[in-house]
Amino acid sequence: MNHKHSLTITDNRTGKSYEIPIQYGTYPNYGASINALELRNIKTSEQDFGLLSYDPGFTNTASCSSRVTFLDGEKGILRYRGYPIEQLAEKSTYLETAYLILNGELPDQEQLKCWELGIIEHTFVHENIKKSIDRFQHNAHPMGILVSTVGALSTFYPDAKNIHDQECRNKQIWRLIAKMPTLAAFAYRHSLGLPYIYPDQELSYVGNFMNMLWKKSELKYQPDPVLERAIDVLFILHADHEQNCSTSIMRGVGSSYSDPFSAASSAIAALYGPLHGGANEAVLHMLAKIGSVDRVPEFIKSIKSGKEGRLMGFGHRVYKHYDPRAQICKKMAKDVFAVTGLNPQLDIALELERIALQDDYFVSRHLYPNVDFYSGLIYQALGFPLGMFPVLFAIARTTGWLAQWQEFLLDPEHKIERPRQIYCGTEERGYIPLDKR
Ligand code: CMC
């Protein structure tokens, strides 16, 4: 063992010392770790189970090693497969970025063409899926519809269970990335009582999505290029974010060798919550509640006093700096508003950000705007109802979920996920018959 790269721990209960090796990832100053199982050797006696680490919410526990996304929350860095998010948002497309995230390298022209054609080919869904969407209440939340229909895909494609077959996995990856916009658009049209629009295979990934959402009686839907690009960039920004709540669920469910549709359905359910993918919806509810710029100081005061809950769209488990995705969204909002007209709630958001970034409560806790703070305003300007916001997030994140699911399956250290607990309940006791209680 290299003693410079190890920990020496002394157990003061026994006086014994243990040497534990330190292991590294790509960056020696980021992600140095110890193998938690080494702690199990630390015991007071042979009968002792050994030491566990306790980490509710996994705030300092690496559940895997990964080569997909690098995130340094202290410095506000986000890279997919080594490429900075700023460069991908400026130069790439969602489908090209998806290829990169899934395969590790940017595609050449031929690979990109083949990848895009494969996606277009799988955009249609079985007619029975369409009928099942019809059965939902007219006001059903589209995320609820998405959870069910993505899970249902496993019954349409039972071959998806062959998770150890690379070719079969590729097919499911194509299917899911291709069908997400179709399912999302059908859920949206259902909520409006409008007929479903079938995919137009001559349009881009996002252009076709816009077509399925908003086509009326025109013969061919022509997406506005500025808005099409804005949605594409938002999809790039949301494509992956390493081990967040929904991705951990995708890996966790996938760890028992579930098919990818069932695992993705669980990931969508995790994304549904307001602390994760539902946050941008919550931001707009909050802005509507504030109502006008002059009421911002009063609102901030009530957040600080704990009366109002949290400032939605602020704070992040890993970013202790401005979220780089929020910077890109903030800039892009201007391009979108030039086409759609200004969103009046932008002024309230800007004032909230201005005041919060000067306030010691937020500064001392490193609370900065996250991606959801501005993305909701853009989605609203594009005409999406609030319920569709997490759905847009889910479409984009499907790439990351699938890449991480596949990476975990191929990991030689793959194990079914099964955390430990610290039992704090009562000790053994005898059963008391009902008439004696
Ligand atoms: N507004 C006010 N106070 C906050 C906020 C906030 N948005 N976020 C954290 N705090 C306070 C919190 O009350 C605590 O204060 P104290 O130390 O006095 O008890 C301190 O900051 C640390 O909070 P925490 O709960 O330990 O932080 P966390 O890392 O567990 O939570 C978070 C991260 C994202 C759940 C949280 O910041 C939050 O609830 N933000 C609002 C919801 C939101 O915008 N979520 C979207 C996240 S980005 C999209 C995604 O990647 O999913």
Side-chain angles (χ1 to χ4, degrees):
M1 190 180 303
N2 182 338
H3 296 288
K4 273 195 177 160
H5 297 279
S6 65
L7 284 187
T8 302
I9 296 179
T10 303
D11 184 347
N12 293 325
R13 297 172 300 175
T14 59
K16 272 199 206 161
S17 280
Y18 303 81
E19 190 164 4
I20 299 181
I22 296 177
Q23 54 204 19
Y24 301 95
T26 301
Y27 301 109
N29 293 331
Y30 199 99
S33 64
I34 57 163
N35 185 330
L37 267 184
E38 296 276 353
L39 299 175
R40 283 275 276 285
N41 298 325
I42 303 178
K43 301 176 176 203
T44 50
S45 66
E46 270 314 303
Q47 291 74 41
D48 186 347
F49 182 78
L51 213 58
L52 298 175
S53 61
Y54 177 60
D55 188 6
F58 307 117
T59 53
N60 197 42
T61 296
S63 63
C64 62
S65 58
S66 178
R67 292 177 161 73
V68 181
T69 291
F70 175 69
L71 203 173
D72 180 341
E74 302 293 327
K75 300 198 180 104
I77 294 173
L78 173 62
R79 298 182 198 130
Y80 300 153
R81 301 284 188 181
Y83 292 99
I85 190 68
E86 293 81 1
Q87 290 184 25
L88 293 169
E90 191 189 333
K91 298 182 180 141
S92 186
T93 62
Y94 175 67
L95 279 191
E96 185 186 60
T97 298
Y99 183 100
L100 167 72
I101 290 174
L102 284 155
N103 299 291
E105 296 297 335
L106 283 167
D108 63 25
Q109 287 185 22
E110 197 53 40
Q111 287 166 328
L112 183 61
K113 209 165 130 198
C114 167
W115 166 242
E116 288 176 342
L117 278 176
I119 295 289
I120 289 168
E121 218 175 87
H122 287 95
T123 45
F124 280 80
V125 293
H126 194 288
E127 285 293 292
N128 284 350
I129 286 271
K130 205 183 76 180
K131 287 183 206 154
S132 77
I133 295 178
D134 278 340
R135 297 286 172 270
F136 281 90
Q137 285 285 67
H138 69 93
N139 57 355
H141 197 292
M143 277 299 264
I145 298 182
L146 210 59
V147 169
S148 317
T149 50
V150 169
L153 287 179
S154 71
T155 65
F156 288 85
Y157 306 111
D159 60 317
K161 289 188 173 56
N162 299 328
I163 51 161
H164 298 298
D165 177 338
Q166 174 75 63
E167 215 177 296
C168 187
R169 276 201 308 273
N170 286 345
K171 195 162 190 187
Q172 315 316 323
I173 289 172
W174 257 320
R175 281 177 172 151
L176 192 56
I177 292 180
K179 290 179 202 311
M180 284 296 281
T182 314
L183 296 174
F186 282 14
Y188 169 73
R189 304 268 309 189
H190 173 75
S191 69
L192 297 176
L194 290 170
Y196 307 119
I197 302 293
Y198 287 104
D200 179 340
Q201 298 186 320
E202 287 172 2
L203 294 173
S204 71
Y205 185 75
V206 168
N208 168 51
F209 179 45
M210 294 166 79
N211 157 68
M212 293 187 290
L213 289 166
W214 295 316
K215 185 170 185 288
K216 292 188 181 135
S217 58
E218 66 270 40
L219 276 182
K220 185 154 181 87
Y221 181 83
Q222 299 291 351
D224 180 289
V226 174
L227 305 187
E228 185 180 0
R229 178 66 190 152
I231 297 175
D232 205 49
V233 172
L234 284 164
F235 281 2
I236 293 172
L237 299 184
H238 286 87
D240 193 49
H241 212 228
E242 50 118 302
Q243 309 314 315
N244 55 85
C245 176
S246 57
T247 302
S248 306
I249 296 296
M250 181 83 189
R251 279 183 177 256
V253 176
S255 78
S256 71
Y257 291 160
S258 280
D259 68 84
F261 301 117
S262 303
S265 167
S266 315
I268 297 167
L271 190 68
Y272 199 170
L275 295 187
H276 190 11
N280 51 14
E281 185 176 346
V283 169
L284 286 210
H285 285 305
M286 177 185 77
L287 295 177
K289 191 169 177 192
I290 298 171
S292 59
V293 170
D294 57 306
R295 295 190 54 201
V296 169
E298 185 195 327
F299 185 78
I300 296 256
K301 220 188 260 173
S302 55
I303 293 272
K304 287 176 6 184
S305 68
K307 274 191 223 145
E308 269 299 340
R310 294 190 163 190
L311 184 54
M312 298 313 287
F314 256 71
H316 200 278
R317 170 60 59 78
V318 284
Y319 289 119
K320 302 303 166 199
H321 195 277
Y322 211 105
D323 178 342
R325 303 167 302 168
Q327 299 273 22
I328 299 169
C329 279
K330 191 175 171 184
K331 271 194 224 143
M332 201 169 60
K334 286 192 193 135
D335 300 338
V336 171
F337 296 154
V339 177
T340 61
L342 198 64
N343 186 332
Q345 291 188 325
L346 176 67
D347 287 339
I348 305 175
L350 288 170
E351 183 65 359
L352 263 181
E353 181 187 332
R354 192 187 68 77
I355 298 188
L357 293 186
Q358 291 173 2
D359 190 300
D360 189 52
Y361 175 94
F362 297 93
V363 174
S364 63
R365 289 171 177 77
H366 307 286
L367 300 171
Y368 293 88
N370 60 52
V371 67
D372 290 322
F373 195 63
Y374 288 106
S375 64
L377 287 168
I378 299 177
Y379 291 144
Q380 193 179 51
L382 290 167
F384 287 106
L386 298 188
M388 282 296 285
F389 294 5
V391 172
L392 298 164
F393 193 157
I395 296 173
R397 186 54 59 85
T398 299
T399 290
W401 291 332
L402 288 167
Q404 303 263 357
W405 162 76
Q406 178 158 249
E407 183 180 59
F408 197 30
L409 277 183
L410 299 176
D411 189 335
E413 288 186 305
H414 177 282
K415 277 197 173 13
I416 185 167
E417 289 203 349
R418 204 311 186 181
R420 291 280 173 181
Q421 64 165 11
I422 314 291
Y423 178 69
C424 298
T426 52
E427 290 186 19
E428 184 181 351
R429 51 182 166 168
Y431 178 80
I432 305 166
L434 188 57
D435 59 349
K436 301 262 160 40
R437 273 177 245 153

